[in-house]
Amino acid sequence: MKAFLLLLLAQLCLPSLVPEREKDPEYWRGQAQETLRAALQLQRLNQNVAKNLILFLGDGMGVSTVTAARILKGQLQNRKGEESLLEMDQFPYVALAKTYNTNAQVPDSAGTATAYLCGVKANEGTVGVSAGVTRDRCNTTKGQEVTSILRWAKDAGKAVGIVTTTRVTHATPSAAYAHSANRDWYSDGEMPLDALEGGCRDIARQLVENIPDIEVILGGGRKYMFPKNTSDVEYPQEDKHRGTRLDRKDLVQAWHDAKPPGKVSKYVWHRRELLALNLSRVDFLLGYDWGGQGMPRLWCQSVLGLSGGRIDHGHHEGKAKQALHEAVELDRAIGLATRLTSAQDTLSVVTADHSHVFTFGGYTPRGNPIFGLAPMQSDVDRKPFTSILYGNGPGYKIVAGERENVSAVDFAHANYQAQSAVPLRQETHGGEDVAVFARGPMAHLLHGVHEQNYIPHAMAYAACIGSNRGHCNAADRPAATTTVLVPFFSLLILLC
């Protein structure tokens, strides 16, 4: 062990590992003073009314994911990585949010979505309802519905949008418009008989009926909008993409029918259709793509950015490379939105619903490839290991009675499943706090450590929507037209 530590120390001290400018103490002193000057400017609080609200939600984007994504971003630019800055890193205010559900120490995406969208903590597996609702029990729902910041904005006459890289009916975005005792009740075809007889409605139906005037809805999951066994427009030969609805409703047509006379509503299912639209002449836009699974990156980019829904998917599969590249893409969307808006009138918030049991370590030297090996072998089984590891998940492998030797596999492959300590088919969420980054009017309200349900209340206060509006009558806080852009789960709710 002593010999290893000496070897590691020698590696860390190699001149090639340290950028030349960082050897000069004045570099660090100057950097600190620049940061100090910027911090002193924050004493001039921006108390404007927020004209726009943008919530970027990286599903499963815990602090360790943020750090690793920062290093990846730098290394993709041929830098060492650690010194890089994500777009979210440059937001002036940072807080921590406690993510537990009312009945769960380690949360799920449904209870957390209810918190950061509806302002109320809830039980795991339930969306848009209070903790008085028990998962799967339809008869506990009535009277326990809670509304979201999206609804508060619509009630104030604002424009709103939902864009997600996963299903629009997924737990994260669905809390914006639905009230359900089970996050998996995507259509009536997924609901038990007692729930249907009890009068509970599926999530896809609620998307069309609860808030019929959402200006922009883009994402996946179109099979939940069509009658059972209806062939998919893109994959007509694949049974898994066929419609699932038992009530025989065509919810896309119902969406069209619910629009006011004289308003133009457009439904698209392919990127080329979206690009062909003159959006200035479209009042309502509904877009479903990707065979019922989610929205591909190119489509999302054509709208304005990319949400982070698939960060979560990558981690659950133990595929860190996929998760981290998704986080970098989300950060690109944040940068684009930052350049297209002003901090004087737009409050942007970046956060996560929960973390994952994802980590990286192993005393790696400066600039070590984020998907690479630690510079050491285990002093127990004498085998190498990757810097990235999971506490549990599908990467647990035993070969000939021993831990798999990762030097014999392609651990840099996109589908490589990093080793885990406990075997599970799907890796689990983590229970620690997540970061909240804020920029714009009243961003200073997001500071310190908060309950997750505080987030939409702070955003609503900044935009003068919702119930707490007494401060909006002040002469120095004139009313403003607010566009609420609610990024979701893996999602980024972003309105162009």
Side-chain angles (χ1 to χ4, degrees), residues 11 37 113 151 261 327 364 451 483:
Q11 286 183 314
R37 285 191 292 271
R151 165 65 80 177
T364 48
E451 294 286 359
T483 298

Side-chain angles (χ1 to χ4, degrees), residues 12 23 25 33 63 94 109 118 171 175 190 249-250 256 272 324 371 377 390 466 472 474 484 489 495:
L12 293 173
K23 297 177 183 178
Q33 290 301 313
V63 172
V94 181
S109 294
C118 302
E190 285 75 41
K249 291 181 182 291
D250 179 338
H256 277 295
R272 63 173 174 265
L324 296 186
F371 302 116
Q377 293 183 348
Y390 286 94
C472 300
V484 173
F489 99 100
L495 181 61

Side-chain angles (χ1 to χ4, degrees), residues 39 56 69 87 184 201 208 221 230 251 253 256 392 469 486:
F56 297 90
E87 299 290 344
D184 297 327
R201 293 174 299 149
V208 174
T230 301
L251 292 185
Q253 187 60 51
H256 277 295
N392 58 53
R469 290 180 289 182
V486 200

Side-chain angles (χ1 to χ4, degrees), residues 71 75 364-365 367-373 387:
I71 294 173
Q75 293 182 350
T364 48
N368 198 72
I370 192 62
F371 302 116
L373 295 173
S387 172

Side-chain angles (χ1 to χ4, degrees), residues 272-288:
R272 63 173 174 265
E273 294 182 312
L274 180 64
L275 294 177
L277 290 177
N278 182 344
L279 294 177
S280 65
R281 298 180 180 177
V282 176
D283 298 298
F284 298 97
L285 175 63
L286 173 65
Y288 274 99

